[in-house]
Amino acid sequence: MSDEPEFGKVVVFGVGLIGGSFALGLKATEQVDEVVGFGRSLATLKQALDLGIIDRVGANAGQEVADADLVLIASPVGQMPEIMARIAPYLGAQTVVTDGGSTKMDVVASAREHFGDKIGQFVPAHPIAGAENSGAAAARADLYREKKVVLTPLPENTVLNVARVRSAWEWCGAQVHELSPSAHDRIFAAVSHLPHLLSFALVYDLAVREDCDQFFSYAASGFRDFSRISASHPEMWRDICLANRQALLEELDRYRAHLDVLRDALDKGDGDVLERTFDVARKARRDWAEGKVK
């Protein structure tokens, strides 16, 4: 560890699970002098201050980002364009901006619109370390330890700016990878956004039934594991699904096609089709769980 912290001042928009854990991760490794927080709720900001996540509550966004080393936009993706518009005119020449959004094509489009010729100062990122709980109280310093963070660098980014963002996440303990924005959105539509949509749909289907209490009273570990992510933040996942809707629609159509195959097999009593499908899924899931798929 160096004697001097790598980052003097870090400004975080959104001090909940993602932004708060980022701040705590840098603080735990003593790689930041000061963290300034912004958010929609004064109560959340006060909680973040009391928990030591931030050192100050920001009052003037333009003034704070002008001399910041690093800015993290950790709000729901639907709120990012407004934040970008607020800070773009005031960015210091050496200030690097990144984000924690779960979609990238829409975030990059907004960044290009609002940052203009400063787009090289924006390095998109996505930490793969969410949880069903949200808010400042859910933040923790080790959230990103041994977790993946995906950077989707832009052609305008300098090597130094990408390295600074990479370094920040690595100080938080993350394993940093790179994808293009389009590849990112295609992949995460399948392995993140679709599972959330399905989990929300299943729990909703049960919740609106007249005898829902009876169903929930008999639900056990299988339901608990599958439905865990339906406890995630509704606003955040609304924004994610809409932002990545084209890729998500494609994945949903593929999934529906597989469901139709299984439904047909059930209707015909075709156990061979069911078993073959289950066997492929079982092997793939075990290989992934055992670390055979990197």
Side-chain angles (χ1 to χ4, degrees):
M1 185 181 300
S2 61
D3 293 334
E4 294 296 324
E6 182 169 350
F7 303 98
K9 178 175 163 184
V10 171
V11 177
V12 177
F13 288 87
V15 294
L17 176 69
I18 299 301
S21 296
F22 180 78
L24 288 175
L26 290 179
K27 282 173 170 280
T29 52
E30 300 181 358
Q31 290 304 313
V32 62
D33 275 332
E34 181 184 42
V35 178
V36 180
F38 285 88
R40 290 186 299 172
S41 165
L42 285 175
T44 298
L45 288 167
K46 183 180 184 304
Q47 186 179 36
L49 191 64
D50 292 341
L51 292 171
I53 295 171
I54 61 177
D55 300 301
R56 286 194 294 114
V57 174
N60 184 308
Q63 185 177 26
E64 297 293 357
V65 302
D67 63 347
D69 292 311
L70 185 65
V71 176
L72 171 66
I73 304 176
S75 67
V77 291
Q79 298 171 24
M80 289 187 183
E82 185 271 333
I83 294 171
M84 291 175 179
R86 282 167 58 198
I87 68 175
Y90 308 102
L91 284 183
Q94 304 304 315
T95 302
V96 180
V97 183
T98 188
D99 76 301
S102 296
T103 55
K104 294 273 74 80
M105 291 290 285
D106 62 311
V107 171
V108 169
S110 294
R112 289 192 179 283
E113 176 184 355
H114 295 295
F115 290 138
D117 60 5
K118 298 178 181 179
I119 187 63
Q121 294 175 241
F122 177 70
V123 181
H126 175 200
I128 318 302
E132 64 271 22
N133 297 318
S134 59
R140 62 180 205 264
D142 65 348
L143 180 68
Y144 303 115
R145 194 168 300 158
E146 301 303 320
K147 300 295 178 55
K148 286 185 173 69
V149 170
V150 177
L151 305 186
T152 61
L154 307 178
E156 296 88 347
N157 292 147
T158 64
V159 172
L160 177 60
N161 283 350
V162 174
R164 292 175 74 188
V165 173
R166 173 183 286 271
S167 180
W169 288 112
E170 287 177 343
W171 280 119
C172 292
Q175 301 170 348
V176 181
H177 301 257
E178 293 188 13
L179 291 170
S180 69
S182 59
H184 170 281
D185 285 1
R186 177 178 60 83
I187 290 168
F188 283 93
V191 300
S192 176
H193 308 163
L194 179 63
H196 277 81
L197 190 71
L198 300 178
S199 183
F200 281 124
L202 173 64
V203 178
Y204 175 86
D205 175 60
L206 297 179
V208 297
R209 300 187 191 190
E210 289 186 1
D211 53 350
C212 66
D213 288 347
Q214 186 174 29
F215 283 92
F216 285 123
S217 70
Y218 286 100
S221 59
F223 179 81
R224 182 190 64 236
D225 293 344
F226 185 82
S227 66
R228 178 186 63 81
I229 52 178
S230 69
S232 301
H233 198 291
E235 179 187 9
M236 181 182 76
W237 279 99
R238 174 202 66 193
D239 289 352
I240 290 170
C241 289
L242 291 175
N244 202 24
R245 61 184 175 273
Q246 191 55 52
L248 182 53
L249 282 168
E250 292 174 7
E251 292 301 328
L252 184 59
D253 286 343
R254 289 171 64 93
Y255 188 80
R256 289 174 67 181
H258 288 301
L259 284 181
D260 286 342
V261 171
L262 294 177
R263 188 190 187 287
D264 186 60
L266 282 172
D267 186 50
K268 295 177 179 177
D270 191 339
D272 289 342
V273 169
L274 294 176
E275 186 174 356
R276 283 198 302 270
T277 301
F278 298 167
D279 186 58
V280 170
R282 174 177 180 265
K283 183 179 185 304
R285 175 62 169 77
R286 287 194 167 188
D287 285 350
W288 172 73
E290 293 170 5
K292 296 178 182 178
V293 179
K294 300 296 183 182

